[in-house]
Amino acid sequence: MTAVVLATACALVYGTADFFGGLATRRSQVMAVVVLSQLAGLVLVAALLPVLPGELTAGGLVWGMAAGVSGGVALVLFYRALATGVMSVVAPVTATTSAALPVLFGLAAGERPEPVALGGVALALLAVVLVSRDSSPAAARRGYGPVLSALAAGAGFGGFFILLDQAPDGGGMWPLFGARLASVALITLLALATGRTLRPGAGTMWTIVVAGVLDMAANVLFLLATERGMLALVGVLASLYPASTLLLARYVLGERLNTVQVVGIGCTLAAVAMIAVA
């Protein structure tokens, strides 16, 4: 039950972080948003090292850094898709892919959830497909570019979940510190190599910082959840974050939800309940 609570909270925080990140990319360069938000997250995880102590090992840092590279590239693609596409489509498409990969990996690695939990996983995957359905003219005008970026981002996020789960137990926040250090270095080098500015747009700095802090907080919740539960379950619960992104987009930006998307949000709640009782 603890793992379910942590993973569900992780999804809520991830969704809120993505909402703020999406807002920032509409007024700032994607590279600037990613680097500055990742720096904010690095400061947070550094502050948490003495609060949530663990053993510093080479394995923990290496797996964390590998996860950071995967997640950093995914974040660039994801924020670019959010900036050019419809937020209520991009987030669920990314989540569908990022949810499926940890489930498949966990099952291949020998994890065997209870039948009710597996039913919840299937329902959760259906939920993210349903909430990704958008027939609005705005979605049609943007074409398939943002969707393809969202799919690639989902693969990167799925890789982040899998690689981070490989870090040895007892490492505390060190794997996340390694992950964030690697992603900051990678994206900074990419920005410098391509001549992209790292200066945020006017009035966006606080939005970027909030996105970075929330993203790292969600990562912490995910790491704690995987220490207490199976990756196949935690990964799919964490990938339900589009529900909170959708609701924020609906009530803050005025993006409308169609009937299918509302059903998808209902399926999300049912999926969490099924996994929780298993």
Side-chain angles (χ1 to χ4, degrees):
M1 178 61 74
T2 302
V4 172
V5 172
L6 289 170
T8 303
C10 170
L12 293 173
V13 179
Y14 266 140
T16 306
D18 289 343
F19 175 78
F20 280 98
L23 288 181
T25 53
R26 295 184 176 185
R27 297 175 58 190
S28 294
Q29 290 286 336
V30 172
M31 289 294 192
V33 174
V34 174
V35 170
L36 294 175
S37 65
Q38 297 279 285
L39 280 172
L42 181 62
V43 172
L44 175 61
V45 74
L48 289 176
L49 285 173
V51 179
L52 298 170
E55 182 182 0
L56 174 59
T57 64
L61 280 179
V62 169
W63 282 114
M65 293 177 74
V69 171
S70 181
V73 173
L75 199 60
V76 172
L77 293 170
F78 182 60
Y79 280 175
R80 186 182 302 278
L82 285 175
T84 58
V86 178
M87 190 178 293
S88 57
V89 172
V90 170
V93 168
T94 303
T96 305
T97 311
S98 65
L101 291 180
V103 171
L104 294 174
F105 182 87
L107 294 175
E111 294 182 352
R112 294 295 179 266
E114 295 293 327
V116 174
L118 281 176
V121 168
L123 187 60
L125 293 174
L126 173 63
V128 291
V129 172
L130 291 177
V131 295
S132 70
R133 294 292 298 276
D134 192 325
S135 56
S136 66
R141 286 195 300 270
R142 287 172 171 85
Y144 293 102
V147 174
L148 294 176
S149 293
L151 287 170
F157 287 136
F160 174 83
F161 291 151
I162 293 170
L163 292 167
L164 191 61
D165 186 58
Q166 305 310 301
D169 292 337
M173 296 296 102
W174 285 109
L176 283 178
F177 181 81
R180 192 54 84 239
L181 197 62
S183 62
V184 168
L186 173 66
I187 306 305
T188 301
L189 288 174
L190 285 176
L192 293 175
T194 56
R196 304 293 178 85
T197 180
L198 297 181
R199 180 176 298 177
T204 62
M205 191 62 195
W206 74 270
T207 310
I208 294 172
V209 170
V210 170
V213 169
L214 289 177
D215 179 68
M216 178 51 68
N219 289 337
V220 171
L221 290 169
F222 176 81
L223 189 63
L224 295 175
T226 54
E227 291 177 352
R228 294 162 173 79
M230 290 181 285
L231 177 64
L233 301 182
V234 171
V236 76
L237 284 176
S239 296
L240 291 174
Y241 61 83
S244 55
T245 306
L246 278 174
L247 292 174
L248 286 168
R250 169 67 181 89
Y251 290 106
V252 177
L253 301 181
E255 293 186 4
R256 292 186 174 276
L257 304 180
N258 58 40
T259 303
V260 176
Q261 290 173 315
V262 173
V263 172
I265 291 177
C267 289
T268 297
L269 298 175
V272 172
M274 290 176 67
I275 295 174
V277 300

